[in-house]
Amino acid sequence: MAKLSITHQTKHSSQKSFALISEFLGNPEELKKWDSKATWTEDKELKKGQIKGKQFSAQVMVLPIENGSEVKFDIEIGLLLTPLKSKITEILKSKLQKHLG
């Protein structure tokens, strides 16, 4: 499996950022766009979550930083998706910008 890491900084607190991420990734219709078998599990206390799909998995962490928070995605994708790494990164960054600002 190929790995990629994506980070996004926002002015929201880590709690608010995790709530927004959880709302976005907890929406089954949104996840089905990526993988019909994808599921989202979360740990609200630790502000961490995991997405598991047929062709990929991702660890999601929200970390507090000065003046806001940082959202970090550590993603593993199947070898067949490797040529799409840049497109996956572009789409995810766009979604993060849309939902977190």
Side-chain angles (χ1 to χ4, degrees):
M1 293 192 112
K3 295 183 180 188
L4 60 139
S5 185
I6 299 167
T7 59
H8 179 80
Q9 293 185 356
T10 180
K11 293 182 180 182
H12 297 298
S13 69
S14 59
Q15 285 183 314
K16 173 81 172 176
S17 293
F18 188 76
L20 291 169
I21 287 289
S22 185
E23 181 181 327
F24 162 58
L25 294 174
N27 179 349
E29 294 303 314
E30 189 65 43
L31 283 179
K32 284 182 183 180
K33 292 177 187 176
W34 299 354
D35 185 331
S36 63
K37 305 282 187 204
T39 59
W40 165 250
T41 55
E42 63 184 38
D43 184 334
K44 290 180 183 179
E45 188 176 313
L46 296 176
K47 297 178 193 72
K48 293 183 179 183
Q50 182 174 9
I51 306 168
K52 282 206 177 246
K54 193 173 183 179
Q55 294 290 323
F56 75 98
S57 66
Q59 300 294 319
V60 182
M61 297 167 277
V62 178
L63 307 167
I65 59 171
E66 188 177 328
N67 300 325
S69 60
E70 180 177 76
V71 179
K72 183 174 181 182
F73 280 75
D74 289 324
I75 305 168
E76 291 186 11
I77 58 175
L79 292 176
L80 294 174
L81 295 176
T82 302
L84 301 173
K85 274 174 84 170
S86 62
K87 188 66 173 172
I88 292 167
T89 300
E90 177 186 325
I91 290 170
L92 185 54
K93 284 185 176 185
S94 171
K95 295 284 187 181
L96 289 171
Q97 183 62 38
K98 176 182 175 184
H99 292 280
L100 295 175

